[in-house]
Amino acid sequence: MARYQKPVLNIPAENVWSAAVAAQRINGAYVKLSVLSESDPSMNCQSNRKIIESLLVDPAGITDEDREQGKKVRSFYQAFTFKILKGTRLSEFDNTAMLIANRDVIEGNYDVAVIASLPSCYERGVVRQSADQRVSFATGGFIGAVGNKVSAAIEVLKCVYSQKWMTHYITGITSDDQVVFFAYKSELPVGKMLDIYGTVKAQRDNTTQLNRVKVIV
């Protein structure tokens, strides 16, 4: 019996990254699996990977903006190399994305599948990176003193759910460039402006930690 050989692609990397951005634009999100509905054709949707495969055959649907954005997304993951040099430990997924981003030719379907997901991951990564920078460079200092009851108008920078504690951890910043951190039972949308009220629990690392927080509506 003939031994199975995995098909080998030979596609310039920039073409795949451009097609991935175009697929993200077309679907408006990352769609992992295609949806085919006989009862409701309006629900039909091709996966990003399938769209990429079509665009690599006929690239007419790729715009100049897609190509420019593809370069940005690829560069974002190529830059993870510098994180490693600084001693940062990458997740397995980020390490894979970095390795693929540094290839000039894409030779495997797995690489195409990973690249298909990266424009969406990039969008979240840029938001997270921007939030981290705003926290790092905040100059407003602390709010109140430990034990004080305080109120503040904040912009939500991060909202991370903890499975262990079954709560959301919120990082926000005030109009006076003061960073606050607190736990909250519900998800708060990133970018939303909110008025909050709480008690100062601790102050460290240029951040005021609050507890018993209430969102004022």
Side-chain angles (χ1 to χ4, degrees):
M1 181 181 292
R3 199 168 154 195
Y4 172 77
Q5 290 191 347
K6 188 157 74 171
V8 176
L9 308 177
N10 188 25
I11 307 169
E14 61 184 23
N15 293 359
V16 182
W17 289 90
S18 299
V21 169
Q24 178 77 8
R25 170 177 55 78
I26 291 166
N27 275 341
Y30 172 58
V31 177
K32 185 175 182 178
L33 299 174
S34 297
V35 176
L36 295 175
S37 173
E38 293 183 4
S39 59
D40 187 0
S42 66
M43 296 292 293
N44 291 352
C45 180
Q46 281 194 316
S47 69
N48 286 43
R49 180 175 172 179
K50 284 293 183 185
I51 294 174
I52 290 171
E53 291 172 356
S54 297
L55 290 171
L56 290 174
V57 174
D58 179 9
I62 301 175
T63 67
D64 290 340
E65 289 78 11
D66 294 331
R67 293 185 177 87
E68 286 304 311
Q69 185 68 5
K71 292 176 183 177
K72 289 181 182 179
V73 177
R74 185 184 180 191
S75 295
F76 179 82
Y77 288 100
Q78 285 175 326
F80 282 12
T81 304
F82 298 104
K83 290 187 177 184
I84 291 178
L85 294 176
K86 291 179 180 179
T88 301
R89 190 168 188 171
L90 299 179
S91 68
E92 184 177 349
F93 180 82
D94 283 346
N95 189 67
T96 298
M98 178 198 68
L99 294 174
I100 293 173
N102 282 291
R103 292 173 185 153
D104 291 327
V105 175
I106 301 303
E107 297 180 340
N109 286 312
Y110 175 75
D111 290 5
V112 174
V114 172
I115 293 172
S117 71
L118 293 181
S120 177
C121 297
Y122 165 80
E123 291 172 3
R124 295 195 300 272
V126 168
V127 170
R128 185 168 60 247
Q129 188 178 72
S130 174
D132 290 342
Q133 288 174 343
R134 290 179 69 183
V135 168
S136 297
F137 294 106
T139 59
F142 299 125
I143 300 175
V146 174
N148 286 172
K149 290 181 171 58
V150 298
S151 60
I154 68 163
E155 176 189 349
V156 178
L157 296 181
K158 298 184 195 175
C159 178
V160 180
Y161 182 71
S162 169
Q163 289 277 6
K164 181 178 181 180
W165 302 109
M166 298 179 69
T167 192
H168 295 82
Y169 288 102
I170 312 297
T171 302
I173 194 165
T174 72
S175 56
D176 293 322
D177 215 24
Q178 299 162 306
V179 180
V180 296
F181 174 81
F182 57 91
Y184 197 69
K185 60 184 181 299
S186 303
E187 181 179 3
L188 298 178
V190 172
K192 191 171 181 65
M193 303 298 297
L194 299 169
D195 292 321
I196 63 170
Y197 178 84
T199 302
V200 178
K201 179 180 181 181
Q203 294 176 325
R204 67 176 75 87
D205 300 328
N206 202 35
T207 299
T208 299
Q209 183 178 355
L210 306 175
N211 65 1
R212 297 191 290 276
V213 171
K214 295 181 179 179
V215 174
I216 304 167
V217 294

